[in-house]
Amino acid sequence: MARITGRTVLIVGASSGIGAEVARRLARDGNRLVITARRGPELASVAQEVRAAGSACLDLAADALDPRAAADVVSAAVAEYGGVDIALLNAGQGPDMSMDRVSVADVARIMALNYDVVVNYLVPLIERMGSQADGGLIAHTNSLAGLMGIPRQGPYSAAKAAARTLIDTARVELAPRGIRFTSIHPGFVATERIDGDGLPKPFQISQERAARHVVRALEREPAQAYFPWPTAALVRTLRTLPTPLSALVLRTLASRTRRPLGSRGTPGTPS
Ligand SMILES: NC(=O)c1ccc[n+]([C@@H]2O[C@H](COP(=O)([O-])OP(=O)(O)OC[C@H]3O[C@@H](n4cnc5c(N)ncnc54)[C@H](OP(=O)(O)O)[C@@H]3O)[C@@H](O)[C@H]2O)c1
């Protein structure tokens, strides 16, 4: 396992939560960070912490839903630091959303917020890393919810599953060109934005602990990383059970915290 030091690392979705915490951790080891998200002031404050910890940092406010903006961020990183060694595609949101309450537009929006944001960076990064002598690592913050259809998280589960499949294909195709891919699957993480969203969160961990797991995955570069182990074990076990049995367990877990009747969830809340 090689410690990450002296590398150019792009983090998409670094203004808060797991991404901001990963930036803070990597800042201690003399890296060059390029951090991006939509909220400029929050991003600038993370950038300040990174520089204070001794790493160079370029902060660029950009919407990952805009393919042109994403390509511009990759170009700006290359112009500033000469290339991108590691990219962590971390932008995403998973609101509480039951299938009997969603609109078609809700589902499409969650797909964009968790899948399009990945594609918009994946393509220019593959193009760039394909021309670098030592390729590069592209990591994606997926979710354990991407491994199976989780109640009240259906559109989010589906979007994360799609991203995982796309990245699985890219890994196979692009290994000969030195581009590596890691899908990182956290369980529930206590970030500010999901605080109080009403979803049950068994085995929830802190964002600091989640960031430690993410950095370890960036160092070790497994194809898939899963944490924390109790949630990962639960999901993996559920996947092996007969469907009626796993459905029963999932329904029981989901019903532990009920929304007020008539509530449509809180679209926009990440998980
Ligand atoms: N928290 C959990 O329980 C959990 C569990 C499993 C997986 N995850 C995944 O972990 C990742 C990070 O989530 P988090 O929990 O740390 O939540 P968070 O604090 O909301 O972080 C999400 C980050 O993505 C950025 N972002 C969202 N949409 C964007 C867009 N269109 N363009 C650019 N940046 C965008 C946000 O910044 P701006 O709003 O400033 O753009 C923010 O920096 C997500 O992919 C999430 O699905 C979270």
Side-chain angles (χ1 to χ4, degrees), residues 117-142:
V117 294
V118 175
V119 175
N120 290 342
Y121 276 94
L122 201 56
V123 172
L125 280 166
I126 287 172
E127 193 183 339
R128 172 63 210 176
M129 288 179 175
S131 71
Q132 295 179 171
D134 49 358
L137 170 68
I138 301 177
H140 171 228
T141 314
N142 202 296

Side-chain angles (χ1 to χ4, degrees), residues 93-183:
Q93 304 186 11
D96 184 356
M97 201 177 258
S98 305
M99 288 308 293
D100 60 347
R101 296 162 193 255
V102 292
S103 67
V104 172
D106 286 337
V107 179
R109 191 172 52 81
I110 295 304
M111 181 57 83
L113 289 173
N114 290 283
Y115 180 76
D116 296 8
V117 294
V118 175
V119 175
N120 290 342
Y121 276 94
L122 201 56
V123 172
L125 280 166
I126 287 172
E127 193 183 339
R128 172 63 210 176
M129 288 179 175
S131 71
Q132 295 179 171
D134 49 358
L137 170 68
I138 301 177
H140 171 228
T141 314
N142 202 296
S143 171
L144 289 173
L147 300 184
M148 63 190 309
I150 303 290
R152 296 168 57 175
Q153 296 263 278
Y156 176 71
S157 284
K160 291 289 196 184
R164 175 189 163 113
T165 304
L166 187 68
I167 285 174
D168 284 348
T169 304
R171 180 182 304 110
V172 174
E173 288 180 352
L174 293 157
R177 296 179 65 187
I179 310 179
R180 292 100 56 208
F181 295 86
T182 291
S183 289

